[in-house]
Amino acid sequence: MIIITFCLLFFLFTKLFIGSKYKFPPALPGLHIAHIMRWFLHPHMGRLFSEIGRNHGPINYISFGPFRLVLLNGADIVKEAFKLPEFSGRTENMYKEFFDDRGFFFSDDTWQKRKFVFKNFRHFGLGGVAAEGNINEEISLLFKRFDSFQGQPFSVKYAFNIPTLNGVLHRFMGVKIPHNDPYLIDIVKRFCVVAEISNPIMRACVLAPSLTKWIPSFLSRREFARKVFKDGEDYFNAYLEDHFKTRVPQSPRDLADALMDEVEATNDTNSVFHFSRNPIRPIVFDML
């Protein structure tokens, strides 16, 4: 009886005090707690969200007590939503904390950075047509790697991640990494773990980082995820530092140079580009 009474009071509080204060999009049908449990238990969150979009439309709302979430499915609807000031901040998650809430995707100060990145993307011609030659080259290298196995069976899991990463890296600072680099292969494998989040306990901690205060690290995988980010950051920073050795200030060759120029020209301590905020580190990493 105590549990039932608590649940009823919890439901009434949600409807009367939270539900009446805001105007939300159409709610998903059925029990929302059942949908939330599916998110924690489903083996592939991306496929689950895509399924929700196909079955219930591009915009949906879900809630359970103080937990409220708007689901956006599709590039067009996400693009329109991000024009609104309400979307200038980002949902709290474990990975966002690793960069002190700064960056490009996992950040609360993104609008200035988005404006800078998109402006320079146009300036340096980093669109799809300009990238075609680079993409074709990466595909050719991938096929050569497949051919090197000479008909023997091998796993193709993670094989496509490195060419994709190289495509971004080359557009960003004209650098490419060998497809068979063992250290990069190891980092990519571990990154897939923190991206797919198939472990339900880890997934809960990523979406609700406050849980990591109560759940041991070996279950939440918090330190594992932090080390993956740190190793990836150190790996790419080595390439970035080498790239900057040949840089000429105010004569940017690429997006990385333009970003460094922006940092060096910023004197306002409140700006997201001020050197004291170390803006290059999270922006570069988020883009990669």
Side-chain angles (χ1 to χ4, degrees), residues 102 109 112-113 259-283:
R102 298 193 299 273
D109 54 16
Q112 286 178 294
K113 294 169 184 173
L259 182 54
M260 179 59 85
D261 286 343
E262 185 76 17
V263 171
E264 290 182 344
T266 301
N267 296 316
D268 182 3
T269 56
N270 295 318
S271 171
V272 296
F273 291 106
H274 193 264
F275 76 94
S276 62
R277 298 196 177 196
N278 196 11
I280 293 180
R281 167 180 171 259
I283 292 178

Side-chain angles (χ1 to χ4, degrees), residues 26-30 35 38 48-61 71 73:
L28 280 175
H35 288 297
R38 280 190 73 199
L48 176 60
F49 285 141
S50 296
E51 176 189 322
I52 291 172
R54 286 194 302 271
N55 295 336
H56 304 290
I59 307 178
N60 290 280
Y61 166 69
L71 304 179
N73 261 293

